[in-house]
Amino acid sequence: MMGSISLPHDAPAGPTKPEIRAVLIDKFNLDDDDHFVDVGSCTGAVSIAAARHAGKVTAIERNPNSVKATQKNIAANQTSAPVTVHQAEAPEAFPDEADAVFIGGSRNYIEVIDKALASGADRIIMNVARIERAGCAIETFRERDILADVLQIRVDHGYTLAGETAFENLDAVYMIIGSTTGDTI
């Protein structure tokens, strides 16, 4: 690994937290033959993490300010793979071939999943913050016979309160993991 990720340029939605990125990258098990697609790149944090393991990365983001943040943050970090950034509403600009796909937002996710499967992707992971959307996404993965696992991940960070340690919790993330091989990834 090439160290931590620097995100000097922010975007309104904020990045996928470092702890969540670590689980995400581990679940994808990327190698230098993989084409990774990051749908809803926001700050580019997931694209940067993937570009340290995959052979090629495509980032798709609809918000022009987030596209700029993604591009600047990629430039501020060391990666081993090239990252191409597209300003588009996914599944527009989705590559014809992909191996691993991360869906970081819930807009058009059904069309994105279908496009990912048509591109040959064998690993699809979607992060969701809202439980109702998680339920719908799980059912979409199940209907396509790709549901491999579902994780609920919650991270709490310690801080000092009255000279002792208390915890501030971050919102839980539901990670819906899909695989076309039937394996849990």
Side-chain angles (χ1 to χ4, degrees), residues 76-138:
N77 285 271
Q78 183 182 10
T79 62
S80 55
V83 181
T84 304
V85 181
H86 296 281
Q87 182 180 339
E89 178 81 41
E92 184 183 320
F94 200 97
D96 292 334
E97 295 180 4
D99 300 297
V101 178
F102 172 64
I103 305 169
S106 57
R107 292 177 62 98
N108 303 328
Y109 74 93
I110 294 172
E111 293 87 353
V112 172
I113 291 168
D114 290 339
K115 182 66 175 176
L117 291 170
S119 76
D122 60 0
R123 291 156 283 165
I124 302 169
I125 298 179
M126 180 175 174
N127 281 1
V128 181
R130 296 169 292 168
I131 194 164
E132 293 85 1
R133 186 54 54 107
C136 294
I138 290 166

Side-chain angles (χ1 to χ4, degrees), residues 39-76:
V39 178
S41 65
C42 192
T43 62
V46 171
S47 292
I48 294 162
R52 293 178 174 177
H53 301 277
K56 180 179 180 181
V57 174
T58 299
I60 304 170
E61 172 57 57
R62 67 182 183 86
N63 181 307
N65 293 327
S66 295
V67 168
K68 289 175 188 170
T70 294
Q71 291 168 327
K72 289 176 181 179
N73 286 330
I74 289 168

Side-chain angles (χ1 to χ4, degrees), residues 126-164:
M126 180 175 174
N127 281 1
V128 181
R130 296 169 292 168
I131 194 164
E132 293 85 1
R133 186 54 54 107
C136 294
I138 290 166
E139 191 56 34
T140 300
F141 276 60
R142 190 174 280 132
E143 288 170 355
R144 284 148 182 79
D145 198 29
I146 60 170
L147 184 64
D149 203 357
V150 179
L151 304 177
Q152 178 187 16
I153 305 169
R154 183 181 142 163
V155 176
D156 297 336
H157 283 263
Y159 67 96
T160 302
L161 177 65
E164 297 181 338

